[in-house]
Amino acid sequence: MLELDFVVQRGDFHLQVQHNLLHPVTGILGPSGGGKSTLLGAVAGLVKPQQGTIKLDGRVLFDSRSRIHIPAHQRRIGLVFQDGQLLPHLSVRHNLLYGYHNIPLAERRFTLESVVDLLEIGPLLERKPRSLSGGEQQRVALGRAILYAPRLLLLDEPLSALDERLKHQILAFLLRIKDEFAIPMLYVTHAVSEVQFLADCCYTMESGRLVLLQDADPVMSSGWRQRLVTQ
Amino acid sequence: MLTDMEWQALALSAKVGAWATLVSLLPGLWCGWLLARKQFVGKPVLEAILFLPMVLPPTVPGYLLLVLFGSQGVLGRWLLENFNIQLAFNWKGAVLASATIAFPLMVQAARIAVQMIDTRIESAARTLGSSPAKVWLTVTLPLALPGILVGAIMVFSRSLGEFGATITFAGNIMGETQTLPLAIYSATHQVDGNNMAMRLITICLGFAFFSLLLSNLLQRRAERWLGVRHA
């Protein structure tokens, strides 16, 4: 469970979140500039809130009162950006193993082979990121984050740079990650269909506030689960 | 082809250039990184000070070095008394003079090299468990390396051409501080020095031209490597 109760103030921008996120995959919808990326940054440890607390499964990641701010590299929270952000000087193999080698042997949950198989990136292993297509880069970025065995996976509009065909392909992989690897996810996007496909519950974020979408809201009531089942 | 004196000037220039490059490398890298990545009070002032040697007549830093590091200077006396190191009027002084004049080139090259790196790549590395120091070593430094190399070549080239600060601070002593430009200057003051001046000038032209060529090639290669330039 991710317990959020914090404030980020940057100039005119004000982000205030006070929610407990319980579901395996939580979707957050909203327009660009609404504070979605800042929220992920605060959870990942890249953005330091002015005040409040952030807890993941009972572990305090941030607490302004007791001056606790666990740095990003000690949080074990994976983050996948819109455009992959692979390390351009390393091969796909070494990109995949970058975080994997940073964790103790006993804490490694997945093997390189299993992740490579799941994401179907075997033929790419010796290539450099710049020679990969957008979809391939994004799959490698996902694989790299999974191999790091994160306690939580943050996805910051991971599909927005891809065309429709690739979106569906990666969404299918994400669903498999959710089902087979059981890594909780916080999925940020402005595409309703992605959230409908993947998320167990959905929030919207507008001008720095998070609002839970109820079953009566258009996104939730469009019968998307049924449609999925029948497809 | 070349007389002993000309060989001496050539070898001394190479030695002074190499040492000047070596001593300005780490401080230049640090200053460049500071300017590229950090926001702090007084940054414009520091920037102005760092780039002063580029716009001042080289005799000005040369004279200031003499005041500071001459045998009567505060630092000069301290170095002499405690470490038996004398800088003024010997080849080490020529290194200090060259490094002072060429330092902004190193800072500028390092700054651009670091600025070219997307900070989100560094953030991605942090969310994969790398401490800031490790991110620096495994991401920032390798990605900035081609740019740093260009900076080093620029410093070396500038050192080869350094005249004003060297003659003011280190003098024009044959075999000790008489580098190529100083030897050319001396040759043009001799009645029969025309041929000698011409030979030294040819060497200087070749040196400078190939340094710039090399730095341009490296720059292109770096851009390809980082994915900024294609093929």
Side-chain angles (χ1 to χ4, degrees):
Chain A
M1 182 171 73
L2 184 61
E3 297 167 65
L4 305 172
D5 181 6
F6 66 89
V7 175
V8 177
Q9 181 81 44
R10 274 181 176 173
D12 288 342
F13 178 74
H14 185 81
L15 171 71
Q16 184 159 19
V17 183
Q18 205 169 8
H19 288 277
N20 293 342
L21 308 181
L22 307 157
H23 297 280
V25 177
T26 303
I28 297 178
L29 281 167
S32 302
K36 303 193 301 291
S37 295
T38 308
L39 170 69
L40 292 192
V43 176
L46 299 171
V47 173
K48 191 174 175 181
Q50 267 66 35
Q51 53 167 304
T53 56
I54 299 174
K55 289 184 203 170
L56 177 62
D57 299 327
R59 180 184 180 221
V60 177
L61 300 178
F62 175 78
D63 189 341
S64 55
R65 279 208 193 135
S66 28
R67 293 174 182 271
I68 296 173
H69 178 65
I70 309 280
H73 66 280
Q74 288 169 4
R75 292 195 179 188
R76 191 70 78 73
I77 292 177
L79 177 56
V80 175
F81 293 92
Q82 188 184 110
D83 41 4
Q85 296 302 337
L86 300 177
L87 303 167
H89 56 304
L90 300 181
S91 66
V92 166
R93 179 190 296 278
H94 288 106
N95 262 286
L96 287 169
L97 293 173
Y98 185 84
Y100 187 73
H101 285 150
N102 277 336
I103 54 177
L105 279 173
E107 292 177 26
R108 294 178 186 170
R109 285 179 59 197
F110 318 109
T111 62
L112 179 65
E113 291 71 31
S114 64
V115 171
V116 165
D117 282 348
L118 178 95
L119 296 169
E120 296 168 17
I121 47 180
L124 312 177
L125 282 176
E126 306 313 323
R127 283 165 60 180
K128 284 279 179 73
R130 68 163 184 274
S131 73
L132 305 181
S133 70
E136 289 169 338
Q137 287 190 25
Q138 213 51 341
R139 273 186 284 160
V140 175
L142 267 176
R144 181 175 71 172
I146 297 164
L147 276 166
Y148 182 54
R151 298 186 177 97
L152 173 70
L153 185 56
L154 307 174
L155 299 138
D156 192 358
E157 307 203 7
L159 308 182
S160 63
L162 306 178
D163 63 37
E164 280 306 313
R165 190 181 56 82
L166 280 170
K167 271 183 193 171
H168 286 113
Q169 191 192 5
I170 307 257
L171 270 174
F173 286 126
L174 282 168
L175 200 60
R176 283 172 74 179
I177 291 169
K178 176 187 172 186
D179 293 340
E180 293 177 29
F181 290 165
I183 299 172
M185 297 184 215
L186 198 54
Y187 191 101
V188 158
T189 179
H190 54 252
V192 175
S193 60
E194 293 168 20
V195 165
Q196 288 176 333
F197 186 77
L198 207 62
D200 306 294
C201 102
C202 184
Y203 291 81
T204 57
M205 173 154 265
E206 266 175 73
S207 38
R209 295 206 174 253
L210 210 54
V211 181
L212 178 65
L213 285 178
Q214 303 298 333
D215 287 342
D217 292 317
V219 173
M220 303 302 280
S221 61
S222 55
W224 51 277
R225 282 187 190 281
Q226 284 75 5
R227 262 197 288 125
L228 262 184
V229 173
T230 52
Q231 261 169 13
Chain B
M1 240 183 39
L2 293 182
T3 65
D4 281 354
M5 181 207 151
E6 289 161 7
W7 274 117
Q8 237 174 20
L10 182 62
L12 184 68
S13 277
K15 176 172 147 185
V16 168
W19 274 103
T21 310
L22 211 63
V23 297
S24 47
L25 201 60
L26 281 182
L29 185 53
W30 188 75
C31 289
W33 173 80
L34 204 67
L35 293 181
R37 284 281 191 266
K38 295 287 165 189
Q39 299 303 327
F40 50 90
V41 184
K43 186 172 167 180
V45 178
L46 176 72
E47 218 175 321
I49 292 171
L50 282 173
F51 288 96
L52 262 183
M54 254 171 113
V55 290
L56 281 172
T59 40
V60 173
Y63 186 76
L64 291 176
L65 285 175
L66 197 57
V67 170
L68 277 174
F69 290 97
S71 52
Q72 297 308 310
V74 185
L75 291 169
R77 201 182 307 160
W78 181 76
L79 281 174
L80 191 63
E81 281 168 9
N82 292 286
F83 302 97
N84 201 24
I85 293 175
Q86 196 187 338
L87 291 175
F89 303 108
N90 70 45
W91 73 271
K92 292 183 208 105
V95 171
L96 182 60
S98 290
T100 305
I101 298 300
F103 190 64
L105 294 168
M106 189 67 231
V107 175
Q108 186 65 353
R111 176 198 203 158
I112 292 170
V114 173
Q115 267 171 350
M116 267 170 70
I117 303 168
D118 191 334
T119 51
R120 287 179 308 160
I121 296 181
E122 294 166 319
S123 296
R126 281 165 68 199
T127 63
L128 288 162
S130 287
S131 64
K134 190 165 181 186
V135 170
W136 213 90
L137 282 175
T138 59
V139 181
T140 316
L141 193 60
L143 289 180
L145 207 55
I148 295 166
L149 218 55
V150 169
I153 292 171
M154 297 307 289
V155 170
F156 184 74
S157 314
R158 183 66 188 83
S159 299
L160 291 179
E162 215 304 298
F163 180 83
T166 309
I167 203 165
T168 314
F169 178 51
N172 186 1
I173 307 161
M174 203 192 292
E176 185 67 37
T177 68
Q178 193 180 68
T179 53
L180 279 172
L182 276 69
I184 292 171
Y185 174 76
S186 298
T188 55
H189 281 67
Q190 287 170 19
V191 184
D192 54 351
N194 278 347
N195 284 336
M196 181 179 163
M198 215 54 211
R199 282 195 299 274
L200 293 171
I201 282 167
T202 312
I203 296 171
C204 273
L205 269 171
F207 244 142
F209 177 74
F210 283 106
S211 297
L212 288 176
L213 199 65
L214 187 64
S215 94
N216 276 338
L217 288 174
L218 278 172
Q219 185 68 34
R220 279 161 177 272
R221 184 162 225 183
E223 285 172 5
R224 264 203 300 275
W225 195 50
L226 293 175
V228 180
R229 180 196 291 262
H230 292 287

